[in-house]
Amino acid sequence: MIGTPFNEGWQARPKVNPFAELSGHTVPFQPVVVPHDAMIGQQRTAPDGEATMEGGAGAYFPSVVVEYRNTFAVPEEYRGKRVFVEFEGVHRDATVFVNGDYAGQRPFGYSHFFIDIDRFLRFGQDNEIRVEARAHRDSRWYTGAGIYRDVWLHVGDVVRISTDGLRVSTPDIEPRRAVVEVATSVDNDSIALRTVDVVTEIRDAEGTVVATDVAKLSVLPRESALARQRLYVPEPALWSTETPALYNCTVTLMDETGEVDTATADFGVRRLQLDPQHGLRINGEVVKLRGACVHHDNGVLGAATFARAEERRVEILKEAGFNAIRMSHHPMSRAMLDACDRLGMLVVDEAFDVWTAGKSEFDYSLSFPEWWERDIEAMVAKDLNHPSVIMYSIGNEIPETGSPFGAVWGRRLAEKVRSLDPARYVTNSVNGMLAVMSELGALMQQAQQPAMDEDTGINTAMANAGDAMNAISSSELVSERTAESFAVVDVAGLNYAEARYELDRELFPNRIILGTETFPTRIEGNWRLVERNAHVIGDFTWTGWDYLGEVGVGRPQYIAPGEPEPSHVAPYPYLVAGCGDIDITGYRRPASYYRETVFGLRTEPYIAVRRPEHHGKTWAGSQWAWSDAIPSWTWPGFAGKPITVEVYSDADEVELLLDGASLGRRPVGAEHAFRTEFETVYTPGELVAVAYAGGEEVGRGALRSATGPLRLTARADRELVRATGSDLAYIDLTLTDAEGTCHTGADRVVSVEVSGTGELIGYGSAVPSTEERFDATERRTYEGRALAVVRPTGPGKIHLLASAPDCEPTEVVVTVE
């Protein structure tokens, strides 16, 4: 079927009771840009001034019931054709009406789905489609609401290629040729037998045809048929993370009248192997997964899933040293899969965060027993042609995995996935602690007792919370309870359970392990386990990219004697989790550079400085919280005050210089967990870290204090964007001195004005706690930075003018073609 974008012309409003409308209570529709997050523009509220898990999970946004409508012309020539609307994602409980009549629904907020609308259409007239969605304590964590992914209108003849009907695989690969199997499903909704030619072409990255085939296919009336063709690509270019070579497959149906239908798919040629002696191999090479868990929202855009937003995330994550993404905890968008294919990023795509046991009051567990199979089918159909996808996860921290009935569900899910895609692997991201929930109280007390007996207070207990979780997960009880759930999958996904890695090598010698969720503060030890154990194929940190909701789980915290235990959940107006290597604007935090060093991908030393206002306080952050350090040597008001400097390096030693004077030389590198600290007194100037290996200098890094008049700079991520509706321009706004050094201690309110062929669709900073909105034209910088996101509305020029107190205005121009 021919699909065209159906993102234009939508309007939205809060859902109105029709009886209330009869009494005169009307709420007007407003035009919106799809993809659209109906939640991000809502007013957040404080729940009686208290920090609550329910409110904090969703970043203190309210519940939303939203109604969309779109009026579109249906020409007379559509009569007798098949017409479908495809929604790539509507959160949640989507219900679709066409011309006032119920047309279909989808409870799960992350599945793409098709609505057959031709039977409701009025040909030669305008027609109305209406979509309702609601979000209310139904997901972890912030999830947004509404039509947050792309919409498509598909029109085809009664004989056509089925929706999601083109599937490409490469079952047999050799250096001189690859077998490409193309399976094309064809529907015949006519009342007569139809015979078509299935014409298939494969082209390489340059567009050259490298393989062709023609097969006849007869399809009985009111039935579907499958054409399976084997084509042979000579000298195949293999897809990998380093060389993500892509091919294109185009299938055309032909009959005596000419072309009937066409479909196309990009794919890659690559071979996967898995065993406990070698771990994961791609094209015969061992690959360790340097993984980032990535949650669903796009920061200042909320949940809206624009293709460029997804691509930019993948670009930045790859630049930071990651080679794999675990989409947590829902199926990945098609746009991000496309980006992973093009850029060479591996994917573990995850189906569900809940099965039958709910985690929130109104979550998907209410629909899972009836809908799980259709949602698994949708995920696999979306992923099947993408070479980046190497593994499916059937669940995340499912409590049922510790029971026989949960293992039965796991087997159903795993076998369903395998029946649809036998070429990829299946995992389940199990948290052993949650799998023995009924015995959790006694086990927690037993696991944490040694820490508390040391009489060192809550700080020690919190520091050892990860150890307590590991102790529970590696217990004999968890080994027994989860054995069947792990037996039904190809890879045992372990959340916060690195203590099982080497234990399971002895207990379960055929078990292959993936650290599907780990503490960011433990990457150094975890990565050593990954490197020295072949059966452990990688590590996925929670999280690679910061996200809205689960507020403050990774925030810096301190505690004084006599103060109460810090809360896991931060109070309103906290907004973000604070545990990402990369913040919500795409800026890399110190943890990202430390991780890159641990991975062996960075040789230059990196300097991060702890905020001097907290010097000497007792740290009480969680295991998800990195130190309270930023890459800045600009601390107004703290001259002469004590300050702590962190340096990350893989060298033998590092020397710290302040304006050329040595502050000492300290060992670093692998034997010292790749980090060291210097205690000094803050003096403005230039701070330089010099790394030495074997007594020779091997690299240096520097921080310089911002001085002189403040400047406001604006820089677009690209000078040229496209007027496609899915492209975006990201514009970094930074307060600097004349030399370009970011001034982290002089934040200002920055106003932006967009003119020309573009519109502002998101504006914000990475400030963790704020009442500012992302749909405003004024935002205060955070640590000297803010981010504006502009959507092209047509060819021409986009002008963004930015201004701030005590700064000259600045303008950036982006060309749209």
Side-chain angles (χ1 to χ4, degrees):
M1 300 183 77
I2 306 301
T4 57
F6 195 37
N7 289 337
E8 300 294 329
W10 289 93
Q11 298 176 318
R13 68 174 183 178
K15 170 64 178 170
V16 177
N17 185 315
F19 299 102
E21 283 196 304
L22 289 175
S23 64
H25 176 69
T26 60
V27 178
F29 280 90
Q30 300 293 332
V32 296
V33 173
V34 170
H36 176 254
D37 182 358
M39 182 82 77
I40 199 68
Q42 302 297 313
Q43 185 64 47
R44 298 194 301 142
T45 56
D48 301 322
E50 297 294 327
T52 66
M53 181 63 75
E54 293 81 5
Y60 301 110
F61 279 92
S63 299
V64 170
V65 183
V66 62
E67 179 181 19
Y68 294 85
R69 72 178 183 188
N70 199 336
T71 301
F72 61 106
V74 177
E76 184 64 36
E77 54 263 32
Y78 281 11
R79 189 183 299 275
K81 293 184 180 293
R82 303 307 318 275
V83 184
F84 295 84
V85 176
E86 179 189 6
F87 296 92
E88 290 193 19
V90 181
H91 197 92
R92 220 203 88 179
D93 283 318
T95 309
V96 182
F97 302 86
V98 177
N99 293 324
D101 294 315
Y102 168 84
Q105 67 186 104
R106 194 71 171 215
F108 195 42
Y110 304 105
S111 283
H112 78 290
F113 61 97
F114 297 86
I115 300 293
D116 175 358
I117 68 170
D118 47 40
R119 52 190 164 157
F120 304 104
L121 295 178
R122 300 164 184 165
F123 301 99
Q125 303 178 41
D126 285 343
N127 289 250
E128 183 187 72
I129 185 168
R130 188 162 50 88
V131 181
E132 295 179 6
R134 50 195 47 79
H136 175 62
R137 295 185 181 180
D138 56 18
S139 184
R140 301 187 313 163
W141 301 100
Y142 177 87
T143 194
I147 307 176
Y148 71 99
R149 290 181 179 170
D150 288 326
V151 186
W152 300 84
L153 182 67
H154 297 270
V155 181
D157 288 323
V158 290
V159 177
R160 67 197 181 281
I161 298 173
S162 312
T163 55
D164 290 333
L166 174 56
R167 303 189 175 197
V168 186
S169 60
T170 55
D172 186 358
I173 303 169
E174 293 181 351
R176 300 194 64 178
R177 68 102 181 98
V179 176
V180 178
E181 186 171 281
V182 181
T184 306
S185 178
V186 178
D187 295 334
N188 178 10
D189 287 334
S190 75
I191 59 173
L193 180 144
R194 294 286 297 273
T195 300
V196 294
D197 287 336
V198 181
V199 181
T200 300
E201 288 186 339
I202 295 176
R203 297 175 182 269
D204 63 16
E206 286 71 41
T208 303
V209 176
V210 295
T212 62
D213 188 67
V214 180
K216 282 201 175 297
L217 181 68
S218 295
V219 192
L220 294 172
R222 306 293 188 185
E223 290 191 11
S224 299
L226 186 71
R228 195 179 300 274
Q229 298 166 283
R230 286 170 63 90
L231 290 84
Y232 304 91
V233 174
E235 310 291 340
L238 301 184
W239 188 96
S240 69
T241 56
E242 292 78 22
T243 57
L246 291 174
Y247 290 86
N248 175 267
C249 177
T250 299
V251 175
T252 304
L253 303 186
M254 305 287 293
D255 67 8
E256 64 278 1
T257 65
E259 182 178 313
V260 175
D261 197 9
T262 187
T264 184
D266 291 335
F267 70 97
V269 178
R270 56 108 179 91
R271 181 173 70 255
L272 300 178
Q273 294 170 280
L274 190 67
D275 64 72
Q277 285 72 43
H278 301 90
L280 173 68
R281 285 180 287 174
I282 300 178
N283 302 325
E285 299 291 329
V286 173
V287 175
K288 294 290 189 178
L289 301 180
R290 306 188 300 269
C293 292
V294 174
H295 207 31
H296 81 292
D297 69 75
N298 270 302
V300 302
L301 300 179
T305 307
F306 290 88
R308 174 55 190 162
E310 302 287 75
E311 179 183 59
R312 177 175 175 266
R313 280 205 286 180
V314 178
E315 288 174 349
I316 293 172
L317 287 163
K318 184 152 190 180
E319 289 170 2
F322 293 109
N323 67 359
I325 291 173
R326 170 186 171 231
M327 205 65 219
S328 320
H329 308 289
H330 64 281
M332 183 179 281
S333 72
R334 187 177 292 156
M336 183 172 274
L337 286 171
D338 290 340
C340 290
D341 289 346
R342 291 192 303 270
L343 298 171
M345 182 71 81
L346 302 171
V347 173
V348 177
D349 208 7
E350 194 153 77
F352 306 119
D353 189 41
V354 293
W355 293 351
T356 58
K359 296 176 181 177
S360 303
E361 296 94 321
F362 303 98
D363 63 20
Y364 177 70
S365 64
L366 302 174
S367 303
F368 174 85
E370 180 181 353
W371 284 88
W372 72 270
E373 198 162 9
R374 281 167 283 188
D375 290 325
I376 287 288
E377 289 169 352
M379 178 181 70
V380 175
K382 169 181 59 68
D383 291 4
L384 195 73
N385 297 326
H386 291 277
S388 55
V389 180
I390 59 172
M391 198 178 309
Y392 300 103
S393 170
I394 56 176
N396 170 71
E397 297 187 341
I398 305 297
E400 299 97 305
T401 52
S403 75
F405 288 102
V408 169
W409 272 111
R411 181 171 282 106
R412 288 174 183 165
L413 287 156
E415 291 306 321
K416 179 64 178 181
V417 170
R418 292 181 179 116
S419 71
L420 299 168
D421 186 358
R424 290 179 173 91
Y425 305 118
V426 180
T427 188
N428 190 359
S429 304
V430 173
N431 186 317
M433 188 174 72
L434 297 183
V436 291
M437 184 73 77
S438 59
E439 291 88 354
L440 185 57
L443 284 171
M444 282 291 287
Q445 184 176 6
Q446 179 182 357
Q448 290 192 358
Q449 194 63 43
M452 299 302 291
D453 287 346
E454 292 173 5
D455 196 28
T456 51
I458 188 62
N459 183 50
T460 299
M462 290 191 70
N464 287 300
D467 292 334
M469 191 178 295
N470 262 289
I472 293 168
S473 292
S474 60
S475 67
E476 185 176 346
L477 177 64
V478 170
S479 295
E480 178 185 344
R481 291 283 189 87
T482 60
E484 185 177 3
S485 285
F486 282 136
V488 306
V489 296
D490 306 304
V491 177
L494 299 183
N495 284 15
Y496 309 109
E498 64 269 20
R500 291 210 69 95
Y501 292 2
E502 295 186 334
L503 173 67
D504 282 1
R505 184 179 58 198
E506 307 303 324
L507 295 179
F508 305 97
N510 292 321
R511 181 175 288 180
I512 299 166
I513 288 174
L514 177 61
T516 39
E517 198 165 307
T518 64
F519 294 114
T521 49
R522 295 190 166 209
I523 181 57
E524 185 270 332
N526 287 350
W527 195 246
R528 276 191 281 113
L529 289 170
V530 171
E531 288 186 312
R532 74 184 183 212
N533 288 284
H535 71 291
V536 182
I537 64 174
D539 177 278
F540 282 82
T541 186
W542 187 264
T543 56
W545 197 284
D546 209 7
Y547 56 100
L548 307 178
E550 197 181 15
V551 294
V553 65
R555 72 193 188 280
Q557 294 189 88
Y558 299 88
I559 192 168
E563 289 185 351
E565 178 180 342
S567 170
H568 174 74
V569 181
Y572 177 86
Y574 243 85
L575 178 67
V576 301
C579 58
D581 276 24
I582 299 163
D583 72 26
I584 63 168
T585 69
Y587 181 73
R588 292 179 63 185
R589 302 167 69 200
S592 173
Y593 293 94
Y594 178 76
R595 186 181 308 278
E596 189 180 16
T597 302
V598 171
F599 284 157
L601 303 175
R602 180 182 178 85
T603 56
E604 298 82 8
Y606 182 84
I607 307 173
V609 182
R610 295 183 192 165
R611 300 177 194 273
E613 62 263 36
H614 300 305
H615 191 274
K617 296 181 182 178
T618 301
W619 175 256
S622 75
Q623 293 283 294
W624 290 277
W626 197 250
S627 70
D628 191 9
I630 64 173
S632 174
W633 195 239
T634 304
W635 301 101
F638 287 95
K641 302 291 180 64
I643 197 166
T644 303
V645 178
E646 301 176 357
V647 182
Y648 316 146
S649 174
D650 65 351
D652 299 332
E653 294 180 300
V654 66
E655 183 179 21
L656 194 64
L657 307 174
L658 179 57
D659 289 336
S662 178
L663 300 180
R665 192 160 166 165
R666 296 183 59 83
V668 68
E671 293 185 1
H672 299 273
F674 301 100
R675 63 190 297 168
T676 190
E677 297 176 6
F678 294 83
E679 292 292 334
T680 186
V681 172
Y682 174 63
T683 303
E686 185 178 44
L687 195 66
V688 177
V690 183
Y692 299 92
E696 300 292 329
E697 180 180 334
V698 293
R700 59 175 56 203
L703 295 175
R704 191 179 64 82
S705 302
T707 59
L710 199 63
R711 293 187 176 186
L712 176 62
T713 64
R715 183 183 62 84
D717 63 333
R718 293 170 301 152
E719 296 180 352
L720 182 67
V721 297
R722 297 162 297 157
T724 61
S726 61
D727 205 358
L728 303 172
Y730 280 80
I731 299 171
D732 292 311
L733 300 161
T734 311
L735 298 171
T736 73
D737 65 9
E739 301 299 320
T741 299
C742 179
H743 200 311
T744 55
D747 285 316
R748 297 285 192 276
V749 173
V750 179
S751 301
V752 297
E753 179 183 338
V754 176
S755 59
T757 58
E759 60 180 345
L760 184 70
I761 63 168
Y763 182 35
S765 73
V767 62
S769 180
T770 182
E771 290 187 306
E772 295 175 299
R773 297 167 63 98
F774 292 125
D775 57 358
T777 57
E778 290 187 348
R779 280 298 296 255
R780 186 174 180 83
T781 58
Y782 176 64
E783 296 173 354
R785 297 179 177 85
L787 177 71
V789 185
V790 178
R791 174 181 175 266
T793 56
K797 302 283 187 182
I798 301 174
H799 297 259
L800 183 141
L801 179 66
S803 58
D806 305 320
C807 298
E808 290 291 326
T810 185
E811 184 179 35
V812 65
V813 179
V814 177
T815 300
V816 185
E817 66 175 18

